[in-house]
Amino acid sequence: MKWLILFGLIAAAVLLASQMARAGELPQVGEAAPDFNLPDQEGKSRQLRDFAGKWLVLYFYPKDDTPGCTQEACAFRDDLSRLEKLGARVVGVSVDDGASHAGFSAKYHLPFPLLADVSGAVAERYGALTDLRVFRFAKRYTFLIDPQGRIAKVYRKVETSKHSAEIISDLQQSILKGQE
């Protein structure tokens, strides 16, 4: 009986690990950013090419209106003018639907698009999807995409309270390097 229980636990662990690994591979620095076409919180379709010629902060987050996700979104909101002065746009993505995004955006006065990746397909292309079959969410990953549409930096370890400032610093360094 103990062997049967042990086998069941091992099988469950293997299944869980395989489901978590279902996310696609992370795009690498220098590669073209995977394209997307998703509705925002107002129902407007947004595509990667809409941001061509600008830096794009494409951040994936697990769930609207949760503490970490709220802190991260509000920091981007509060720093948006500094980011825009550096030529950057901010776009959030989660697997929540447009109605959830609309409520979250209105509640916290978020002045940037939140994209509804309900199927998780875009998060998967960016290697940011955790799919446990009964529960699916985007990992807290951010991609800094350069004005030519290439991945400039990948952030896999995000501290929500400092992330926006970290991106501002990285943008300032990238812009200085480009001027040399």
Side-chain angles (χ1 to χ4, degrees), residues 149-165:
R150 300 213 166 273
I151 302 292
K153 187 155 186 177
V154 178
Y155 303 84
R156 293 179 61 190
K157 305 250 188 237
V158 172
E159 188 173 333
T160 58
S161 65
K162 299 177 181 178
H163 189 45
S164 182

Side-chain angles (χ1 to χ4, degrees), residues 69-105:
C69 297
T70 300
Q71 183 177 47
E72 184 176 25
C74 289
F76 281 127
R77 176 200 64 204
D78 296 346
D79 288 340
L80 191 61
S81 66
R82 291 176 66 199
L83 288 158
E84 289 178 340
K85 284 179 184 171
L86 293 168
R89 296 296 194 81
V90 174
V91 174
V93 183
S94 83
V95 299
D96 293 319
D97 64 24
S100 177
H101 285 340
F104 182 48
S105 179

Side-chain angles (χ1 to χ4, degrees), residues 5-175:
I5 292 171
L6 181 60
F7 179 74
L9 289 173
I10 292 171
V14 168
L15 179 63
L16 180 63
S18 71
Q19 288 304 310
M20 289 182 77
R22 261 187 76 195
E25 290 188 31
L26 283 168
Q28 299 300 305
V29 170
E31 291 180 358
D35 201 9
F36 58 82
N37 184 356
L38 295 171
D40 67 13
Q41 68 268 35
E42 297 171 355
K44 181 178 178 185
S45 181
R46 304 287 184 139
Q47 299 175 356
L48 179 61
R49 68 174 169 244
D50 297 339
F51 305 96
K54 300 268 184 195
W55 287 92
L56 177 61
V57 178
L58 185 68
Y59 81 98
F60 290 84
Y61 64 98
K63 184 94 179 114
D64 288 337
D65 216 6
T66 57
C69 297
T70 300
Q71 183 177 47
E72 184 176 25
C74 289
F76 281 127
R77 176 200 64 204
D78 296 346
D79 288 340
L80 191 61
S81 66
R82 291 176 66 199
L83 288 158
E84 289 178 340
K85 284 179 184 171
L86 293 168
R89 296 296 194 81
V90 174
V91 174
V93 183
S94 83
V95 299
D96 293 319
D97 64 24
S100 177
H101 285 340
F104 182 48
S105 179
K107 183 176 181 179
Y108 294 101
H109 309 286
L110 303 177
F112 49 81
L114 298 177
L115 305 184
D117 185 19
V118 177
S119 73
V122 173
E124 187 167 4
R125 281 195 298 264
Y126 278 85
L129 183 68
T130 296
D131 188 351
L132 305 175
R133 293 192 188 217
V134 295
F135 188 64
R136 185 178 61 205
F137 60 92
K139 297 174 187 172
R140 192 178 309 282
Y141 287 174
T142 300
F143 298 86
L144 184 58
I145 301 171
D146 73 17
Q148 292 74 41
R150 300 213 166 273
I151 302 292
K153 187 155 186 177
V154 178
Y155 303 84
R156 293 179 61 190
K157 305 250 188 237
V158 172
E159 188 173 333
T160 58
S161 65
K162 299 177 181 178
H163 189 45
S164 182
E166 175 184 25
I167 290 173
I168 289 169
S169 176
D170 289 344
L171 275 168
Q172 289 169 333
Q173 289 176 16
S174 293
I175 291 167

